[in-house]
Amino acid sequence: MANHKTFRISRRPFLAGLGSAIAVLGQPLIAEADGTVPQRFLYFHYPCGTVAGFGKEGPGAKWTWFPSGPGGPDYTPSPLLNLFSAVKGSILPLDGLDLGDPDQKIDGDQHAQGMMYMGTGWIPVPEDDAPHESDYKNAKFITIPKGTKTIDQYLLDKVAALTAPLVPGGSKPPFASLQLCGTAKSMQGQGFTCTKVVSYSGNGQPLFGEGRSENAFNNIFGGALVPDIDPLALQRHQAQKKSVLDFVLGDIKRLQGMVPGSQRPKLDAQLTSIRALEERVTAGMPGRIIKPVLATEPLTKDGANVDDARHQVLIQNMLEIVRTAFASDLTRVISITMADGNNPLRAKAFLADPKFNDNSDAHGLSHAGKDGDPIEGKGEVAAFYTQAAATLLASMQKTPEGAGTLLDNTLGMLWTECRDGDNHERRRNPCMLFGGKFLKLNTGQYMVIEPTRYTNDIWASTLTAWGVPTTIYGDPQYAKGIIPGLFG
């Protein structure tokens, strides 16, 4: 005989969860009706550099980052930038920015330096009580200096719009910020912190990303919307491709006959409100969903280990979580690294159809030289990560919000921690701003900055545009001030 189990929650946690769902889901829609939409920041990292398209990397390279012609709105995109053709009017690729100490006269892991410097504007320092490292040139026990934070956390402190309620008397987003990563190999306990983390709340205070999509799914959407519900029940609902509103509605219907008569009108009114909200979310607002449906992540692929095999779909799932967490106003600040600076995943295993022979991990491939096969491999890896970013931006562009789109209302930075993996070159470091229409970001062009500036100057310009006048961000020796023309 089958053993049928009925999922029940007690009346008080249910009503609390119901109220939470209405508050969290209703606020963005109420605010949007009044013309108010959230402002957001997305800090988006991909590892190990790219193929620039000039010098020794130019001849024969298929996937290159920098356009060969002049800048301006009529630029001809490079192969990598051409992946963003669907959102060309919403991106601002930049050339002429140096990252950190461009002469690399300091010690410490070069990838980690770039990752920490990008967000803080300061050269990393040894951790307190760090163990002795005989090869300090590649030291791994390094962190950001005291008194600093990465830009995502700094913006939270300085820009009220990133944390303030959307409606008077409303609540703040449930999560001040989220940290995600495209592989469980980048999580806490998986090796040296310095190459895995892009978000820090202070010296020796890394904010590790979540690299398991189901955990991110349940932690962000389940706990935020319906507290005190069994995570296994949420996972079953996920497997059935149900939304969180389906989850709430099903339990309301079961409880209708169980609540006291005095509570029935209130419950019916809440049910009607949720049904109306569901109709607006799923029908009246195409693409605006509250809870993502995750794709099944493969466990094997041609003998690859689990982390290699699932990397592509895991990133797809994490980026859909980014989109829906933003669209639901569960947070307004997200940092994500698609893999750590010493990327340990084997490129031939996570790429769909690799055309190169090098079978080393992606970090090793980034150091494999400038011959034809390594350049092809580096280019395909860069294209893999760039395409993932382009897909997310296109999806955000298709998500209506207010008078514009989710992309319009999100300022983002796509970046890597070095230009060239072989020598960790940080001059003309590849990066791209996107979205930011609410700040009048001058998108739709390729901006060449001459003479060169520092990436610190991007953040000084960003803070100023966001209403926080800033002349120098980070270490003054690597900062020259606001970049003219970056924002309107």
Side-chain angles (χ1 to χ4, degrees), residues 19-28 38 156 162-166 170-178 218-227 290 324-333:
S20 175
I22 292 173
V24 173
L25 297 177
Q27 277 186 207
L156 279 173
L162 294 174
T163 57
L166 284 178
S171 58
K172 296 180 179 181
F175 302 95
S177 65
L178 294 174
N218 290 328
N219 292 341
I220 297 168
F221 296 92
L225 298 179
V226 190
I290 295 301
T324 51
F326 273 158
S328 304
D329 200 32
L330 296 178
T331 189
R332 298 177 199 158
V333 175

Side-chain angles (χ1 to χ4, degrees), residues 31-368:
E32 189 175 330
D34 292 333
T36 302
V37 293
Q39 299 176 8
R40 310 175 182 88
F41 179 68
L42 177 57
Y43 193 48
F44 200 157
H45 167 256
Y46 70 96
C48 298
T50 188
V51 178
F54 50 76
K56 294 181 180 179
E57 300 177 1
K62 176 182 177 182
W63 293 105
T64 56
W65 176 269
F66 293 100
S68 57
D74 298 323
Y75 74 99
T76 300
S78 64
L80 287 175
L81 293 182
N82 197 48
L83 296 174
F84 295 92
S85 59
V87 292
K88 186 179 179 183
S90 296
I91 64 172
L92 178 61
L94 300 166
D95 190 1
L97 291 164
D98 296 339
L99 174 58
D101 174 14
D103 295 321
Q104 301 181 40
K105 296 177 180 178
I106 54 176
D107 293 329
D109 184 277
Q110 300 292 306
H111 293 277
Q113 283 184 30
M115 292 168 71
M116 291 186 215
Y117 181 87
M118 185 68 181
T120 65
W122 290 89
I123 300 299
V125 299
E127 294 179 355
D128 289 343
D129 303 319
H132 174 72
E133 297 183 75
S134 56
D135 181 16
Y136 196 70
K137 181 70 176 176
N138 296 305
K140 298 296 193 292
F141 294 99
I142 55 178
T143 186
I144 67 173
K146 288 180 170 62
T148 68
K149 296 182 177 182
T150 48
I151 186 64
D152 56 319
Q153 300 302 302
Y154 190 82
L155 285 169
L156 279 173
D157 290 343
K158 298 295 183 180
V159 179
L162 294 174
T163 57
L166 284 178
V167 296
S171 58
K172 296 180 179 181
F175 302 95
S177 65
L178 294 174
Q179 290 76 37
L180 301 170
C181 44
T183 170
K185 290 288 189 181
S186 295
M187 292 178 60
Q188 187 171 12
Q190 295 296 311
F192 296 112
T193 296
C194 67
T195 61
K196 302 182 183 301
V197 175
V198 295
S199 179
Y200 288 78
S201 59
N203 171 267
Q205 300 175 51
L207 300 175
F208 282 92
E210 174 58 65
R212 300 161 297 185
S213 59
E214 287 191 7
N215 287 53
F217 176 94
N218 290 328
N219 292 341
I220 297 168
F221 296 92
L225 298 179
V226 190
D228 303 318
I229 297 233
D230 181 3
L232 293 179
L234 282 173
Q235 288 180 16
R236 289 195 296 270
H237 243 60
Q238 174 191 337
Q240 297 166 3
K241 302 186 184 300
K242 296 291 186 71
S243 74
V244 74
L245 291 173
D246 293 324
F247 192 93
V248 174
L249 286 169
D251 281 293
I252 291 176
K253 291 174 182 177
R254 285 197 289 273
L255 282 173
Q256 276 183 306
M258 301 168 58
V259 298
S262 61
Q263 296 293 320
R264 184 64 180 268
K266 181 178 180 181
L267 185 61
D268 288 344
Q270 290 172 329
L271 176 57
T272 299
S273 297
I274 291 180
R275 280 178 174 154
L277 178 60
E278 182 178 45
E279 289 175 1
R280 183 174 178 188
V281 169
T282 59
M285 302 176 65
R288 175 79 173 268
I289 63 172
I290 295 301
K291 196 172 183 181
V293 175
L294 303 186
T296 301
E297 296 165 11
L299 298 181
T300 59
K301 175 191 172 186
D302 300 330
N305 66 37
V306 172
D307 296 296
D308 293 349
R310 74 194 317 172
H311 188 45
Q312 183 173 21
V313 181
L314 175 58
I315 287 176
Q316 172 189 324
N317 285 336
M318 286 299 189
L319 296 185
E320 179 61 2
I321 287 172
V322 168
R323 186 185 74 85
T324 51
F326 273 158
S328 304
D329 200 32
L330 296 178
T331 189
R332 298 177 199 158
V333 175
I334 298 178
S335 64
I336 181 167
T337 172
M338 288 194 267
D340 55 271
N342 289 167
N343 192 349
L345 303 177
R346 190 163 56 91
K348 282 181 68 68
F350 64 73
L351 294 175
D353 185 25
K355 305 296 185 185
F356 56 94
N357 297 317
D358 193 306
N359 201 32
S360 58
D361 61 42
H363 179 230
L365 178 60
S366 76
H367 285 275

Side-chain angles (χ1 to χ4, degrees), residues 436-479:
K437 189 173 183 179
F438 63 98
L439 293 178
K440 298 182 180 180
L441 179 67
N442 283 321
T443 56
Q445 63 173 311
Y446 171 56
M447 181 177 286
V448 179
I449 301 170
E450 297 178 320
T452 60
R453 301 287 289 271
Y454 295 101
T455 49
N456 286 17
D457 300 333
I458 293 179
W459 302 133
S461 303
T462 297
L463 284 158
T464 300
W466 227 321
V468 184
T470 304
T471 303
I472 298 298
Y473 179 86
D475 189 338
Q477 69 176 316
Y478 302 121

